[in-house]
Amino acid sequence: MTLQKNRRPAPMTPEDFRDALERLGQTPASLAKLIGVDVRTARRWSTGAKPIPDSVAAQIAALVEAGVVTPELVAEIEATRNDTSAEPQIARFIWVQRKDEDPYWTIAEHDLIADVFYLPGRLERFTADELVLGAVITPPAA
């Protein structure tokens, strides 16, 4: 991936995705299991049938930077994902700005299961690629 003038990485292409798989010694199915997405989704990313979200591209870049996916790393990721000590988070609130000509920031609800964002006063759903993502809003301590 190359950097653009605004210092955001360029979107991950299917070629970048396949190169990352090769460097990590993974298949689309094994990487899907590792990062917790549907196998069909990862296969669509590798063919270009579905765009790769920036958040996933960042995860993959971090894995590539870390090097080979070791059994210890897989176990650590799975332990984190399978941690049942805390109630699983299904939604969160996050500051977002639409990438079109809207200059305003607003708070969106991020559905973590469907990986879509709901903006106030709008019926349509947005993907991470359509938004500039800001800080996650954490609830105050009880």
Side-chain angles (χ1 to χ4, degrees):
M1 290 187 293
T2 58
L3 290 181
Q4 297 172 344
K5 288 184 180 181
N6 61 3
R7 311 221 16 110
R8 272 193 214 136
M12 180 177 263
T13 65
E15 294 79 21
D16 294 335
F17 182 77
R18 290 190 300 270
D19 182 54
L21 290 175
E22 185 176 325
R23 291 176 68 184
L24 292 169
Q26 299 288 308
T27 64
S30 63
L31 185 70
K33 183 178 177 189
L34 181 66
I35 63 174
V37 299
D38 186 74
V39 173
R40 291 174 296 194
T41 300
R43 287 186 182 132
R44 289 178 184 131
W45 291 336
S46 69
T47 63
K50 183 172 179 143
I52 302 163
D54 292 341
S55 58
V56 171
Q59 289 177 8
I60 293 170
L63 287 171
V64 169
E65 187 176 316
V68 177
V69 177
T70 63
E72 294 82 14
L73 178 60
V74 171
E76 183 180 330
I77 291 169
E78 287 178 354
T80 302
R81 188 178 319 125
N82 296 330
D83 183 11
T84 57
S85 62
E87 188 174 312
Q89 189 178 9
I90 59 170
R92 66 180 179 179
F93 292 92
I94 184 169
W95 282 102
V96 298
Q97 181 184 40
R98 291 182 51 202
K99 284 187 178 177
D100 59 11
E101 299 178 18
D102 188 358
Y104 301 104
W105 286 85
T106 189
I107 297 172
E109 182 177 3
H110 180 197
D111 179 336
L112 295 168
I113 295 171
D115 196 23
V116 294
F117 296 82
Y118 299 96
L119 276 62
R122 296 195 165 272
L123 295 177
E124 66 260 48
R125 301 171 183 177
F126 294 87
T127 64
D129 292 335
E130 298 172 295
L131 303 168
V132 178
L133 303 180
V136 173
I137 299 171
T138 55

